[in-house]
Amino acid sequence: SGKSTVAALLCGKYKKYEGEILIGGMELRSISEKELMQRITLVKHNSYLFKGTVADTLRAAKPDASDSEMNAVLKKVNLYDFLKTQRGLDTELLEGASNLSGGQRQRLALARALLFDSPVYIFDEATSNIDAESENMIMQVIHGLKNSKTVIFISHRLTGAKEADRIYMMSEGSIIEHGTHTELMALHGEYAKLFQLQAEKYIV
């Protein structure tokens, strides 16, 4: 419906668009790619992890990160204890971190993003295709971030949006409904229909 396209637009990946995209009152085209990258962190469901150690992966976000800083973000994403049974920050990762489970890879990608500490975070289907434990943990981190960061959470699973300050529902490239979860449920529109459908399927 256009959710990931919106994320790409906000990250400056597409410059040829009609109308205006304003960030802090500034037209996006006037903001350099370097400045956008410093201010916005995009976390996707398949964020790539390079071959090397866990420390190498984390220092891609913050080259001067100390061991204590790296261990702190690993604790936030519940990877610290597992990595202690390996070689800690010196644990070797294969290309794409293929020697980790899907949930562990996503949690490590999240730890890297947290270390970057940008003012805006975009999570694009960041909880797709991972185990329930990892999904719940990642959602806890995302909900914690919203107290100090601007967080845009993109998902086809609506259960994660219930506590959002504002929900925008898209269909065929357009926003068709917006409001809080309570407001949208009271409308008995497309959001409410989809939420009820998913509630029956996933027991949200």
Side-chain angles (χ1 to χ4, degrees):
S1 63
K3 301 186 300 295
S4 295
T5 301
V6 169
L9 282 166
L10 293 175
C11 292
K13 296 186 182 299
Y14 303 137
K15 295 294 187 182
K16 296 180 179 180
Y17 55 83
E18 297 179 3
E20 290 183 315
I21 299 176
L22 301 178
I23 298 181
M26 295 179 62
E27 164 57 43
L28 185 140
R29 293 187 187 92
S30 69
I31 305 173
S32 69
E33 184 178 356
K34 181 179 180 181
E35 189 173 359
L36 272 177
M37 290 178 67
Q38 290 173 340
R39 294 179 178 275
I40 300 175
T41 299
L42 174 64
V43 182
K44 301 191 292 185
H45 71 279
N46 58 349
S47 296
Y48 197 77
L49 300 170
F50 294 96
K51 183 178 180 180
T53 65
V54 168
D56 293 335
T57 293
L58 295 176
R59 286 199 171 111
K62 187 177 182 182
D64 61 347
S66 66
D67 286 3
S68 61
E69 287 177 305
M70 291 188 285
N71 284 325
V73 292
L74 290 173
K75 287 176 182 177
K76 278 188 177 181
V77 300
N78 200 25
L79 266 183
Y80 179 78
D81 289 340
F82 165 74
L83 290 172
K84 273 182 65 177
T85 67
Q86 308 298 306
R87 295 178 57 199
L89 293 169
D90 294 323
T91 301
E92 290 286 341
L93 302 174
L94 300 178
E95 194 72 32
S98 58
N99 52 323
L100 299 181
S101 70
Q104 289 169 336
R105 287 195 295 271
Q106 192 64 353
R107 283 186 270 168
L108 183 56
L110 177 57
R112 180 177 62 186
L114 294 176
L115 196 57
F116 190 64
D117 196 28
S118 63
V120 180
Y121 282 86
I122 301 176
F123 296 92
D124 187 5
E125 299 286 4
T127 58
S128 295
N129 302 320
I130 58 175
D131 59 278
E133 180 185 354
S134 293
E135 180 180 3
N136 291 335
M137 185 284 310
I138 289 173
M139 288 308 305
Q140 288 177 16
V141 172
I142 290 173
H143 287 308
L145 275 177
K146 75 176 187 178
N147 296 321
S148 58
K149 308 289 184 182
T150 297
V151 177
I152 299 173
F153 177 68
I154 298 171
S155 179
H156 68 281
R157 290 267 310 265
L158 302 185
T159 181
K162 288 171 65 176
E163 297 180 34
D165 297 316
R166 177 71 45 176
I167 299 167
Y168 295 88
M169 183 165 182
M170 295 189 69
S171 178
E172 298 182 5
S174 297
I175 295 171
I176 58 171
E177 295 176 1
H178 62 90
T180 64
H181 172 74
T182 302
E183 290 168 348
L184 291 175
M185 291 301 290
L187 285 177
H188 302 291
E190 293 304 312
Y191 176 90
K193 290 177 186 176
L194 185 56
F195 188 90
Q196 293 293 348
L197 184 66
Q198 291 185 359
E200 293 169 7
K201 181 177 180 182
Y202 298 114
I203 314 178
V204 296

